[in-house]
Amino acid sequence: MRQQSTASMPVTSEAAAPQEEKKTNYRWVVMGLIFCIWAIACADRANFGIALPYMKKEFHITNTEAGLIVSLFSFAYAIVQIPVGMLYRRLGEKASGIFLALCMVFTSLFTALMATTTSVLLLQLYRVGLGFAEGPLGIGCTNVINRWFPPQEKGLATGLWIAASKLGPLMVPSVCLIVIAIWGWREIFYVFAIPGFLFAILWMLLVTNSPSESRFCSPAEQRYIRGEGAPADAANAGKKPALRYLRSMPLLDAINRTRRVERLQTIRQVFTSWNIIGVALGYGCMIGITNIFMSWIPTYLVTVRGFESVKMGFLASAPFIGAVTGNMIGGLISDRLLDGRRKPMMLLGAIGTTLMLCLLINAPDSATFLGATLLISGLMVGIGFAGYSAYAMGLVSKSTYPTAFGIVNFLGQIGGAVAPLMVGILLDHFGWSSVFLYMVGTALLCVVLVASVVEPVAEPEI
């Protein structure tokens, strides 16, 4: 009996040996859905710029009225940011996912309604409805990124999310011109409404607000997201993540005003933080420039430069080709080369944008020059964009992040709303040179605002 027992021991020991856990990377599937949903949402707001010249002709709209219609979306979008940020803090895991999907459905619904308009008043009402519907999507997407990605991947993930916001407008001119050629300007909105309904269903089926709630995300990947080591490293399970120090870059950190800070744990701390407010105002400057590219540059290329629709479509896409590239490059540099520092890319983007916009003030009548300048302008705008969203992730707690990003997006969208309206007023009283000077001043203001905040280094959360 002893021999049998002894002989069986190795088998029992081998059977009891821990098995290597299955390694999943489901967070990137989630990122793929976020990318598609955000690209669709941003295309739904950008298609208005291509339809605008046709609307102006049919409804006899002045430049100021056109600027107001464009801005109404951003004002409505901005109004819901802070309330929705606080709402996400209270919603449960399942309710958050349902809420985001419903917002996507209503975004597509108001997009489709734009095709049915018969008056300027209806245009205004539908743009307001689109802003209210789309407003919660940005907070929802970044909230999921903040919960689904470890600190060393948040810059890249946020960069991809921002890149999606430029990919949508990048595709818009080409798709719109094809639709107009086949049907007309109204059918633009029907075509763009369809994908949103489909992806809302996919989101409900495949994504949860946090990895711990997902049946597709393995325990090993959940530990990796929490910062407890490599995905398959079971030995690190349950350990508190080590404090992550930035690599030593003394000169950059002196210029960058790098500081060790305590995470903002309360709503009051978030609302009274100049770091949050300063970044939010800088974000508003850059969104304003982006909205001008999106809504007014097609009109500029047709009415001032006299380009035909095909060439206009290509040139109108140029800033967004640059922006998509800049978003991804900026996120990678911020994560990999700058060890999570966000300010340098924000500053580089604002300074580079200022220089490129100066070239547009008295640009020669050359499609090549305009295309190159618009492309590099978009690259400069995009290279710092990820930082505005990722910045708050390193400063606040996970529970207060939706509110913090709500503040950033609120002030950002207010800046974005003011810009197209200002363009309409400037065009009715002056001309396009004044518009580009306004954009230069906006970019310079962004440089000052971003320079005034610190680069936070905070202890990671469990």
Side-chain angles (χ1 to χ4, degrees):
M1 292 293 292
R2 174 178 285 183
Q3 287 181 347
Q4 288 179 344
S5 177
T6 304
S8 67
M9 285 177 62
V11 177
T12 304
S13 176
E14 184 178 351
Q19 305 251 332
E20 184 177 350
E21 288 185 270
K22 183 180 179 182
K23 182 179 178 180
T24 62
N25 290 291
Y26 193 70
R27 63 194 182 281
W28 294 109
V29 175
V30 173
M31 187 66 240
L33 287 169
I34 289 173
F35 186 92
C36 292
I37 282 177
W38 195 235
I40 292 166
C42 291
D44 286 344
R45 72 174 80 162
N47 51 29
F48 187 84
I50 303 300
L52 183 57
Y54 301 93
M55 291 179 172
K56 287 180 68 178
K57 184 177 180 180
E58 182 170 330
F59 297 111
H60 308 289
I61 299 172
T62 67
N63 288 319
T64 301
E65 288 173 334
L68 176 61
I69 295 170
V70 172
S71 295
L72 283 172
F73 166 85
S74 295
F75 280 123
Y77 189 105
I79 288 170
V80 302
Q81 294 306 298
I82 294 176
V84 167
M86 300 180 75
L87 176 63
Y88 267 112
R89 189 166 180 258
R90 296 178 178 275
L91 288 176
E93 301 291 336
K94 188 173 181 180
S96 295
I98 295 172
F99 181 60
L100 190 146
L102 284 174
C103 290
M104 192 68 221
V105 168
F106 279 103
T107 295
S108 293
L109 179 61
F110 278 105
T111 299
L113 285 173
M114 293 292 294
T116 69
T117 186
T118 55
S119 67
V120 173
L121 177 60
L122 284 176
L123 279 176
Q124 294 171 340
L125 291 175
Y126 293 153
R127 286 290 287 182
V128 170
L130 184 65
F132 282 141
E134 194 177 315
L137 289 178
I139 299 177
C141 289
T142 56
N143 186 41
V144 171
I145 289 172
N146 194 35
R147 292 173 180 272
W148 271 86
F149 285 86
Q152 67 271 22
E153 293 178 356
K154 285 179 180 178
L156 175 58
T158 305
L160 289 170
W161 173 68
I162 295 292
S165 71
K166 306 302 183 297
L167 181 63
L170 168 61
M171 297 184 301
V172 162
S174 299
V175 175
C176 286
L177 291 175
I178 293 171
V179 173
I180 290 170
I182 298 173
W183 294 298
W185 69 263
R186 291 180 183 273
E187 282 71 18
I188 288 173
F189 301 104
Y190 289 133
V191 169
F192 278 88
I194 295 170
F197 292 117
L198 299 177
F199 273 90
I201 296 170
L202 286 176
W203 184 270
M204 289 283 293
L205 296 174
L206 298 176
V207 180
T208 57
N209 200 45
S210 295
S212 60
E213 301 292 320
S214 174
R215 66 184 186 276
F216 302 110
C217 183
S218 70
E221 185 181 5
Q222 291 176 33
R223 289 196 299 274
Y224 176 69
I225 291 168
R226 292 195 300 267
E228 296 173 4
D233 186 4
N236 289 320
K239 290 185 178 179
K240 182 179 181 180
L243 184 61
R244 182 169 172 260
Y245 291 93
L246 296 175
R247 288 195 301 272
S248 178
M249 300 179 184
L251 179 60
L252 178 61
D253 284 334
I255 298 170
N256 208 36
R257 300 183 64 226
T258 303
R259 302 284 189 276
R260 186 163 300 283
V261 299
E262 295 290 330
R263 287 191 180 272
L264 306 181
Q265 302 286 348
T266 67
I267 299 298
R268 179 171 181 171
Q269 288 175 329
V270 172
F271 271 98
T272 56
S273 169
W274 170 251
N275 294 321
I276 296 292
I277 301 299
V279 164
L281 293 172
Y283 190 43
C285 293
M286 300 312 284
I287 290 182
I289 292 170
T290 301
N291 284 357
I292 293 171
F293 280 136
M294 190 184 304
S295 56
W296 279 107
I297 288 299
T299 300
Y300 167 75
L301 294 171
V302 171
T303 60
V304 178
R305 296 296 177 173
F307 292 125
E308 296 177 356
S309 59
V310 174
K311 189 175 285 187
M312 179 276 284
F314 173 76
L315 292 175
S317 298
F320 301 100
I321 295 173
V324 169
T325 306
N327 293 151
M328 292 186 284
I329 291 174
L332 279 170
I333 292 175
S334 180
D335 277 348
R336 306 291 170 83
L337 299 183
L338 299 179
D339 202 25
R341 293 170 175 86
R342 310 301 179 192
K343 270 186 66 177
M345 301 314 294
M346 290 191 281
L347 285 171
L348 174 63
I351 293 169
T353 300
T354 303
L355 297 176
M356 297 312 301
L357 289 172
C358 287
L359 295 178
L360 286 170
I361 294 174
N362 292 303
D365 194 15
S366 164
T368 302
F369 180 87
L370 283 170
T373 306
L374 289 169
L375 179 76
I376 300 172
S377 297
L379 179 70
M380 288 294 101
V381 170
I383 206 166
F385 241 76
Y388 295 99
S389 301
Y391 178 87
M393 295 178 183
L395 183 62
V396 304
S397 66
K398 284 186 173 65
S399 64
T400 56
Y401 175 76
T403 303
F405 186 71
I407 294 171
V408 171
N409 226 11
F410 168 72
L411 293 177
Q413 293 301 326
I414 290 294
V418 168
L421 178 58
M422 283 298 301
V423 170
I425 294 171
L426 288 171
L427 288 178
D428 279 339
H429 293 85
F430 302 102
W432 276 98
S433 292
S434 66
V435 172
F436 290 120
L437 283 171
Y438 170 78
M439 295 169 75
V440 168
T442 300
L444 282 173
L445 177 59
C446 180
V447 174
V448 174
L449 290 165
V450 173
S452 72
V453 304
V454 304
E455 180 74 63
V457 182
E459 185 174 351
E461 291 185 284
I462 296 177

